[in-house]
Amino acid sequence: MAELAGLEDPRARAVNEKHGDDHGVNLGKLRAIAKRLKTQQELARDLWDTGDTAARLVALLICRPKAFERDELDRMVREARAPKVHDWLVNYVVKKSPHAEELRVAWTADPDPVVASAGWALTTERVAKQPEGLDLPGLLDVIEAAMKDAPDRLQWAMNHCLAQIGIEHPEHRARALDIGERLEVLKDYPTPPGCTSPFAPIWINEMVRRQG
């Protein structure tokens, strides 16, 4: 914790806080600490329990994803309010957990929109890598009905799922494009030069073009 405090950079904190992340440590330096520490599950748990965002990010890099129980991961996702912590928890830990599918189903239906966004992120992963058994038309129905008015992080996760369905599944592409065009979610999102817009129709068409 003292080492992390010593790496605090006010400029980095100012940038991170614009994205809702309350820490000021360069992510490259966090990764360097994690590389030095290597895998240490008990230390990871201790760092998580501090509640400190930078410490939690290190914890997620040095933990053993398959060592967490289902209820432990459920508690962690509810505690992870900083977007970067939430993102790393889902992508680096939960996706590698044997409990991922059970949590995906539970979280997607959760009334907390941040928890639900984790469920949608896991669903997007399945759309891309393991779509067998998923009800893709049903997912599109939910997105069509709920995405427009969803809170920011849930909306973003649903939009990613919509784009992934359109990119990966040609038989549903026309409907995915139509939903994106009508709902206009993230249509005006500021996109840096050289980056692809998160507006689903642009995103889908660009990725399909690259695949082609």
Side-chain angles (χ1 to χ4, degrees):
M1 294 304 292
E3 185 174 355
L4 289 172
L7 292 172
E8 175 78 21
D9 177 351
R11 288 168 302 179
R13 178 174 283 273
V15 171
N16 289 333
E17 285 185 342
K18 287 181 182 174
H19 302 109
D21 290 308
D22 55 343
H23 77 96
V25 184
N26 175 281
L27 294 181
K29 291 179 179 176
L30 282 181
R31 291 183 186 279
I33 291 173
K35 191 173 181 181
R36 188 186 78 226
L37 292 171
K38 300 189 171 64
T39 303
Q40 296 191 50
Q41 181 66 10
E42 289 313 308
L43 177 59
R45 283 194 167 104
D46 289 344
L47 287 170
W48 182 272
D49 288 342
T50 66
D52 179 80
T53 294
R56 285 183 163 180
L57 292 172
V58 174
L60 295 170
L61 294 172
I62 66 169
C63 73
R64 193 174 289 110
K66 293 178 181 175
F68 291 108
E69 298 295 332
R70 179 210 180 278
D71 289 350
E72 197 172 10
L73 291 171
D74 185 68
R75 173 179 61 81
M76 289 167 74
V77 88
R78 293 173 195 283
E79 292 172 351
R81 306 318 283 186
K84 184 64 73 178
V85 173
H86 181 271
D87 185 46
W88 281 18
L89 174 62
V90 173
N91 286 296
Y92 296 171
V93 181
V94 182
K95 284 181 181 179
K96 298 174 183 175
S97 165
H99 309 294
E101 179 58 17
E102 186 185 350
L103 289 169
R104 180 189 76 81
V105 174
W107 287 346
T108 304
D110 199 276
D112 182 327
V114 176
V115 175
S117 75
W120 278 94
L122 295 172
T123 300
T124 302
E125 176 88 347
R126 271 203 61 189
V127 166
K129 296 183 177 175
Q130 199 184 350
E132 298 76 17
L134 279 181
D135 176 11
L136 296 178
L139 288 174
L140 290 173
D141 289 344
V142 175
I143 291 167
E144 187 170 20
M147 182 171 74
K148 180 84 172 175
D149 298 318
D152 286 355
R153 281 160 70 181
L154 178 55
Q155 183 184 71
W156 189 274
M158 287 179 141
N159 183 70
H160 190 180
C161 191
L162 173 66
Q164 205 69 52
I165 291 171
I167 292 161
E168 301 287 347
H169 301 278
E171 68 276 22
H172 299 294
R173 187 171 295 149
R175 186 177 176 206
L177 288 166
D178 177 62
I179 291 170
E181 291 286 2
R182 281 187 292 106
L183 298 186
E184 298 188 336
V185 167
L186 301 176
K187 186 174 184 178
D188 299 321
Y189 192 83
T191 305
C195 295
T196 302
S197 168
F199 179 48
I202 294 175
W203 190 354
I204 292 166
N205 286 325
E206 174 59 21
M207 297 311 290
V208 170
R209 183 189 68 77
R210 290 185 198 178
Q211 288 171 357

